[in-house]
């Protein structure tokens, strides 16, 4: 097996050019065409040429933006034709131009923005309503009031500021000059009539002389017969609370009370502080050691402690309780104005603390809704802003230190309120 087949012996391999050739020279038909580049001769077939490419292989056309790091390597990526990276993009030579970007659909954007904003407002309003509604203390049951007068047009609220010290610490009582008296009394009482022909706010002096009628006990349910006994109006509240007070007001005026609202000392001061203080113009300075009042004349901003002293003071005035009721109405006007300003309503960091302090400190009747409460608030704001009537209950004189109402004027006033007429009666 040491011999090669004929024509392929090992001895003849070195004398031949290529396989099967007897000549040391290449056959004519097999002579390869020489490719010249400059003065250099082409390398053997299949060898690399200087500058890239191989001998005998036609040079491939170069496309724009080919990767060339100087080694002659062609990355093979055609950014112009394949990927649209050439001029114009999209085809050979960049002949197809890209169209302009479509204009944004502003109508659609505005529509969806409005939908989102409206949805947020609805969710926030509904959540706020239920949160606020849960804070109301509906503890007064007006169904326990007996022998009630017939109703009329409009809505009548009995608004009471009590001297309740419930939940107050000894330091708070000292700071607010409330004392530590047992039981509860009323420091202010007002009837607010809300109607179509103007709203009317009537202050009821706590020293008003009234008759205590027959009434049903708020806790016992027992009916106590009236004996013609006369006393101060605030004594009715001290005797059996809100239901007897409502019964006494209705009996002595003939006006049906639709809703009851009460706020205590601490709650009143908290509301004033939550709203950031209330600015008021005091005509004449005064001091009162009982309430802690110490005011100079002029415009000033009162905090909760100062506001409580302002509305409680009566010993510093010759007109005593009548002047106090006027100051109460004046301050409530300023408070309502402050609460309704955009700086409070549109600022959640002020609005929610104000609502929380106000609602959490209110005691209302079982049928009171937030809408009723809002109606009462805005009516008070309008009345004290000059769009309604603000007055004291007409008084004809006094007896034994109690203020006697002018019966003729009171009857005319009640008739006008029942018929929702513009009030013509004036008070003290």
């Amino acid at each position: 097996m040491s011999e090669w087949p004929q024509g392929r012996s090992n001895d003849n391999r070195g004398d031949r050019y290529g396989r099967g050739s007897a000549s040391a020279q290449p056959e004519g038909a097999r002579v390869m065409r020489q490719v010249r580049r400059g003065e250099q001769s082409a390398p053997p077939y299949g060898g690399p040429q200087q500058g890239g490419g191989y001998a005998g292989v036609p040079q491939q056309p170069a496309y724009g933006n080919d990767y060339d790091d100087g080694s002659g390597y062609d990355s093979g990526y055609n950014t112009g034709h394949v990927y649209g990276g050439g001029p114009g993009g999209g085809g050979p030579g960049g002949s197809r131009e890209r169209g302009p970007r479509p204009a944004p659909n502003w109508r659609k954007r505005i529509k969806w923005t409005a939908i989102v904003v409206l949805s947020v407002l609805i969710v926030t309003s509904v959540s706020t309503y239920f949160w606020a509604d849960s804070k109301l203390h509906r503890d007064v049951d007006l169904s326990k009031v007996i022998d009630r007068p017939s109703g009329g047009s409009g809505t009548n609220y009995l608004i009471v500021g009590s001297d309740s010290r419930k939940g107050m610490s000894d330091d708070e009582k000292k700071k607010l000059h409330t004392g530590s008296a047992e039981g509860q009394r009323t420091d202010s009482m007002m009837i607010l009539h809300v109607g179509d022909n103007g709203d009317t706010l009537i202050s009821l002096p706590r020293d008003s002389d009234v008759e205590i009628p027959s009434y049903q006990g708020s806790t016992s349910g027992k009916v106590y017969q009236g004996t013609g006994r006369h006393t101060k109006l605030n004594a009715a509240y001290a005797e059996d609370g809100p239901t007897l007070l409502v019964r006494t007001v209705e009996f002595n005026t003939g006006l049906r009370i639709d809703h009851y609202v009460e706020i205590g000392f601490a709650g009143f001061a908290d509301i004033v502080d939550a709203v950031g203080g209330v600015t008021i113009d005091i005509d004449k300075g005064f001091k009162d050691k009982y309430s802690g009042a110490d005011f100079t004349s002029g415009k000033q901003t009162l905090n909760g402690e100062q506001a409580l002293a302002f509305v409680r003071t009566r010993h510093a005035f010759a007109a005593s309780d009548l002047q106090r009721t006027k100051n109460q109405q004046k301050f409530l006007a300023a408070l309502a104005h402050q609460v309704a300003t955009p700086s409070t309503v549109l600022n959640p960091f002020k609005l929610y603390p104000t609502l929380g302090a106000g609602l959490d400190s209110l005691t209302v009747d079982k049928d009171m809704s937030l809408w009723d409460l809002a109606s009462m608030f805005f009516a008070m704001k309008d009345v004290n802003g000059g769009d309604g009537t603000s007055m004291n209950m007409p008084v004809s004189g006094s007896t034994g230190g109690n203020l006697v109402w002018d019966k003729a004027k009171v009857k005319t006033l009640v008739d006008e309120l029942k018929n929702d007429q513009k009030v013509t009666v004036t008070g003290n």
Side-chain angles (χ1 to χ4, degrees):
M1 298 298 293
S2 62
E3 296 183 356
W4 289 80
Q6 187 176 358
R8 295 192 182 181
S9 65
N10 195 34
D11 296 335
N12 296 329
R13 290 187 67 193
D15 299 331
R16 298 178 183 178
Y17 184 89
R19 291 187 298 177
S21 176
S23 172
Q25 296 297 326
E27 298 174 359
R30 296 182 181 178
V31 175
M32 300 299 296
R33 177 169 59 88
Q34 298 297 315
V35 180
R36 294 179 181 272
R37 182 171 296 218
E39 296 298 326
Q40 298 179 359
S41 60
Y45 180 80
Q49 299 184 99
Q50 184 178 359
Y54 289 81
V57 180
Q59 184 73 20
Q60 298 299 308
Y63 299 103
N65 299 325
D66 287 342
Y67 175 84
D68 186 2
D69 61 358
S71 65
Y73 172 73
D74 183 0
S75 66
Y77 289 100
N78 185 331
T79 57
H81 293 89
V82 179
Y83 299 100
S95 60
R96 192 178 73 179
E97 295 184 359
R98 179 178 298 171
R101 177 178 294 179
N105 190 336
W106 289 108
R107 180 176 297 179
K108 186 175 182 180
R109 291 187 181 185
I110 293 174
K111 172 185 175 182
W112 281 106
T113 300
I115 291 175
V116 171
V117 171
L118 181 60
S119 299
V120 171
L121 288 176
I122 291 175
V123 171
T124 302
S125 299
V126 172
S127 300
T128 300
Y129 178 86
F130 284 105
W131 168 78
D133 188 73
S134 67
K135 283 187 164 293
L136 281 177
H137 299 285
R138 296 182 173 91
D139 299 332
V140 179
D141 188 0
L142 295 183
S143 67
K144 294 182 178 180
V145 180
I146 62 175
D147 300 332
R148 309 192 69 184
S150 60
S153 301
T155 304
N156 299 313
Y157 297 83
L158 180 59
I159 304 170
V160 175
S162 75
D163 65 356
S164 172
R165 300 159 178 83
K166 183 179 180 180
M168 295 177 64
S169 65
D170 291 339
D171 289 340
E172 289 174 324
K173 293 175 183 178
K174 182 178 180 180
K175 178 182 177 181
L176 298 176
H177 300 273
T178 64
S180 300
E182 296 296 330
Q184 291 187 160
R185 282 158 293 276
T186 55
D187 262 28
S188 61
M189 291 163 283
M190 302 178 186
I191 294 175
L192 174 65
H193 174 81
V194 179
D196 295 331
N197 293 306
D199 305 321
T200 304
L201 182 64
I202 308 164
S203 289
L204 309 176
R206 56 175 282 175
D207 294 338
S208 298
D209 185 81
V210 294
E211 180 182 341
I212 301 296
S214 300
Y215 69 95
Q216 180 179 327
S218 58
T219 55
S220 66
K222 179 181 178 181
V223 175
Y224 298 89
Q225 296 297 327
T227 60
R229 172 170 56 100
H230 280 244
T231 186
K232 293 181 178 181
L233 181 58
N234 70 332
Y237 180 92
E239 186 172 328
D240 198 43
T243 53
L244 178 55
L245 179 61
V246 171
R247 169 74 176 127
T248 302
V249 170
E250 290 185 341
F251 177 81
N252 286 269
T253 63
L255 186 68
R256 185 184 180 94
I257 300 300
D258 300 297
H259 292 294
Y260 178 91
V261 182
E262 177 186 328
I263 186 169
F265 282 163
F268 180 81
D270 288 343
I271 293 174
V272 175
D273 286 334
V275 81
V278 175
T279 301
I280 190 170
D281 193 357
I282 300 177
D283 298 328
K284 184 179 180 181
F286 59 89
K287 292 183 179 181
D288 181 16
K289 66 178 182 178
Y290 296 99
S291 66
D294 186 2
F295 299 107
T296 58
S297 61
K299 184 175 292 186
Q300 50 204 286
T301 299
L302 309 185
N303 60 25
E305 177 185 350
Q306 294 169 325
L308 187 60
F310 181 80
V311 299
R312 292 184 60 220
T313 297
R314 63 178 180 137
H315 296 285
F317 309 122
S320 187
D321 208 31
L322 292 177
Q323 180 60 45
R324 175 167 69 170
T325 56
K326 292 179 180 179
N327 284 347
Q328 289 170 350
Q329 290 183 355
K330 183 175 184 178
F331 185 84
L332 287 177
L335 176 60
H337 175 76
Q338 180 67 30
V339 171
T341 57
S343 62
T344 299
V345 175
L346 300 180
N347 183 356
F349 297 102
K350 184 179 288 187
L351 175 63
Y352 283 95
T354 302
L355 286 176
L359 296 173
D360 199 40
S361 59
L362 291 180
T363 298
V364 300
D365 64 271
K366 294 184 180 297
D367 295 327
M368 174 75 81
S369 70
L370 284 179
W371 303 116
D372 295 323
L373 197 61
S375 176
M376 181 198 80
F377 172 79
F378 284 107
M380 289 185 65
K381 178 178 178 295
D382 291 341
V383 165
N384 290 288
D387 294 332
T389 302
S390 180
M391 58 183 290
N392 277 330
M393 183 65 82
V395 174
S396 60
S398 63
T399 177
N402 297 349
L403 297 174
V404 179
W405 293 350
D406 188 320
K407 293 183 178 181
K409 287 187 175 182
V410 169
K411 185 179 184 306
T412 301
L413 173 63
V414 170
D415 288 341
E416 291 174 340
L417 294 177
K418 279 190 171 183
N419 295 308
D420 198 20
Q421 299 172 342
K422 187 172 181 60
V423 172
T424 60
V425 177
T426 58
N428 299 79

